[in-house]
C-alpha cells in the first residue's frame, strides 16, 4: 500500500475544497486546510486518487490569483508517494515516476522529481534558475505552474504557533532548530508567527523534540499536526504530552485506515 500526501495551493475557497475532497472520497484519509498558507494537504492511499485530484485541481484552481504565506511552485505543488505496509521504497519511486510521466503527457505540466535525486528544498531553491523540470514542458504551465513529485519515507508535518514574536525573530528561531532531521520555515500567520516543520526523521526527532528546541527560545502558544502521523512515531512520545503537541491515536495513519476505508 502506498500513501500519497498531496499539497494543493488552495486553502480558502470552501466550495473548491469540497469538490476536491469529493473527487477522491473513496481514498481520502485526511484533509488539513490553512487559509493563511492558502494550502491544503490531502492524505490519500493508492495511485489512482492522486491522478484524479491532480486533474480536478488543475481544472478548478489557478496560481494567477493565488496569495498565501507558504512557498509554492504549482497548483498541485507537492505529490510525495510514501511506502506503507506491504510496499517498498522501490514501489514508491515507480509510482512517482509513473505519475510524473502521466501528468506531463496527459496534462502538459512540467514535473520536478525529488527523492534520491535531490530534496524538496533543493527544488524550491533552484527551480527555473539552475534546475529545469525532469519531465514534461520546460516552462511553467500558465495557470498551474509545475509539480514536485517525490518518493520518501514517512515524515511528520507539524507547526508551532508563537504569540507576540515578530517574523524576524521567528525566522531566527527556525534557523536555530533547523537540521538534517528537522526542516523549518518561519512564517507570518495572521496575528501569530509560526515555525512550520517537516520532521524528516520523526522516530528520533519527532514533535516532542522540535517543541523542546523551540521552547528554549520562546513560549509556544499552540501546536498543530498537519495531516497524519504513524502509530509507531506516536508511541515514541510520552502520552501525557500528546494533547499539548496536538496528537492522539485518531490522527494516526493506522487508525484512519482501520476506521475510514
Amino acid at each position: 500500500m502506498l500513501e500519497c500526501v498531496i499539497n494543493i495551493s488552495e486553502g480558502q475557497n470552501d466550495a473548491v475544497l469540497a469538490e476536491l475532497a469529493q473527487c477522491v472520497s473513496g481514498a481520502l484519509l485526511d484533509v488539513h486546510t490553512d487559509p493563511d498558507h492558502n494550502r491544503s494537504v490531502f492524505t490519500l492511499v493508492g495511485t489512482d486518487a492522486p491522478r484524479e485530484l491532480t486533474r480536478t485541481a488543475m481544472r478548478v484552481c489557478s496560481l494567477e490569483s493565488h496569495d498565501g504565506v507558504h512557498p509554492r511552485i504549482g497548483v498541485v505543488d507537492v505529490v510525495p508517494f510514501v511506502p506503507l505496509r506491504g510496499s517498498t521504497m522501490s514501489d514508491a519511486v515507480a509510482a512517482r515516476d509513473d505519475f510524473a510521466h502521466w501528468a506531463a503527457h496527459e496534462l502538459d505540466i512540467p514535473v520536478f522529481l525529488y527523492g534520491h535525486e535531490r530534496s524538496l528544498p533543493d527544488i524550491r531553491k533552484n527551480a527555473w534558475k539552475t534546475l529545469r523540470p525532469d519531465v514534461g514542458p520546460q516552462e511553467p504551465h500558465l495557470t498551474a505552474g509545475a509539480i514536485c513529485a517525490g518518493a520518501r519515507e514517512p515524515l511528520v508535518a507539524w507547526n508551532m504557533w508563537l504569540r507576540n514574536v515578530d517574523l524576524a525573530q521567528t525566522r531566527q528561531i527556525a534557523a536555530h532548530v533547523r537540521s538534517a532531521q528537522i526542516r523549518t520555515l518561519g512564517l507570518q500567520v495572521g496575528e501569530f508567527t509560526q515555525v512550520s516543520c517537516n520532521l524528516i526523521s520523526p522516530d528520533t526527532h519527532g514533535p516532542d523534540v522540535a517543541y523542546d528546541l523551540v521552547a528554549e527560545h520562546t513560549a509556544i502558544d499552540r501546536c498543530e499536526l498537519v495531516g497524519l502521523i504513524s502509530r509507531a512515531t506516536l508511541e515514541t512520545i510520552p502520552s501525557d504530552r500528546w494533547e499539548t503537541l496536538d496528537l492522539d491515536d485518531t490522527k494516526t495513519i493506522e487508525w484512519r485506515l482501520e476506521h475510514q476505508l
Side-chain angles (χ1 to χ4, degrees):
M1 179 182 293
L2 292 174
E3 177 190 43
C4 190
V5 190
I6 300 188
N7 289 228
I8 302 290
S9 297
E10 173 57 66
Q12 300 173 353
N13 188 315
D14 290 341
V16 167
L17 292 170
E19 183 172 355
L20 293 173
Q22 180 59 38
C23 81
V24 291
S25 58
L28 183 63
L29 297 182
D30 187 73
V31 182
H32 179 278
T33 294
D34 189 305
D36 292 298
H37 286 214
N38 202 2
R39 190 175 185 85
S40 295
V41 178
F42 291 75
T43 304
L44 309 172
V45 291
T47 56
D48 293 333
R51 299 187 184 198
E52 187 58 38
L53 183 59
T54 298
R55 192 194 311 274
T56 304
M58 286 187 62
R59 176 173 56 82
V60 300
C61 303
S62 173
L63 285 186
E64 292 179 305
S65 58
H66 186 276
D67 182 37
V69 300
H70 198 287
R72 91 293 305 178
I73 68 167
V75 159
V76 183
D77 192 49
V78 183
V79 184
F81 290 90
V82 182
L84 298 180
R85 64 192 183 203
S87 61
T88 66
M89 182 54 67
S90 294
D91 297 326
V93 171
R96 177 202 70 175
D97 293 349
D98 287 347
F99 172 88
H101 284 91
W102 168 82
H105 294 110
E106 293 292 324
L107 304 177
D108 198 34
I109 186 167
V111 183
F112 295 91
L113 301 179
Y114 71 95
H116 64 274
E117 299 88 349
R118 62 184 70 90
S119 70
L120 182 58
D122 289 336
I123 298 176
R124 294 218 185 279
K125 180 179 179 180
N126 299 312
W128 311 120
K129 300 170 186 173
T130 60
L131 183 64
R132 309 306 295 179
D134 296 281
V135 186
Q138 295 298 290
E139 299 296 331
H141 187 282
L142 288 177
T143 61
I147 295 173
C148 302
R152 62 163 174 78
E153 298 291 349
L155 59 74
V156 174
W158 186 75
N159 300 327
M160 287 164 281
W161 297 64
L162 312 181
R163 185 190 295 272
N164 299 324
V165 181
D166 67 27
L167 182 57
Q169 184 181 355
T170 299
R171 286 175 171 166
Q172 290 177 348
I173 294 169
H176 278 303
V177 304
R178 187 177 300 136
S179 68
Q181 296 81 24
I182 303 176
R183 295 176 182 165
T184 60
L185 292 171
L187 303 172
Q188 186 75 48
V189 183
E191 65 182 272
F192 294 87
T193 55
Q194 184 183 87
V195 179
S196 179
C197 301
N198 275 347
L199 306 177
I200 304 303
S201 303
D203 291 347
T204 59
H205 292 71
D208 54 335
V209 174
Y211 184 100
D212 292 343
L213 289 170
V214 170
E216 292 178 4
H217 300 275
T218 190
I220 298 167
D221 187 81
R222 61 187 174 92
C223 303
E224 174 187 47
L225 178 66
V226 179
L228 301 175
I229 189 171
S230 75
R231 184 167 286 152
T233 296
L234 180 66
E235 291 175 350
T236 67
I237 300 169
S239 59
D240 61 359
R241 300 195 67 180
W242 290 0
E243 184 176 0
T244 297
L245 300 173
D246 189 34
L247 305 174
D248 65 63
D249 190 58
T250 68
K251 296 178 181 180
T252 64
I253 299 165
E254 291 82 359
W255 193 95
R256 299 297 174 92
L257 288 170
E258 292 163 7
H259 292 84
Q260 292 185 202
L261 294 182

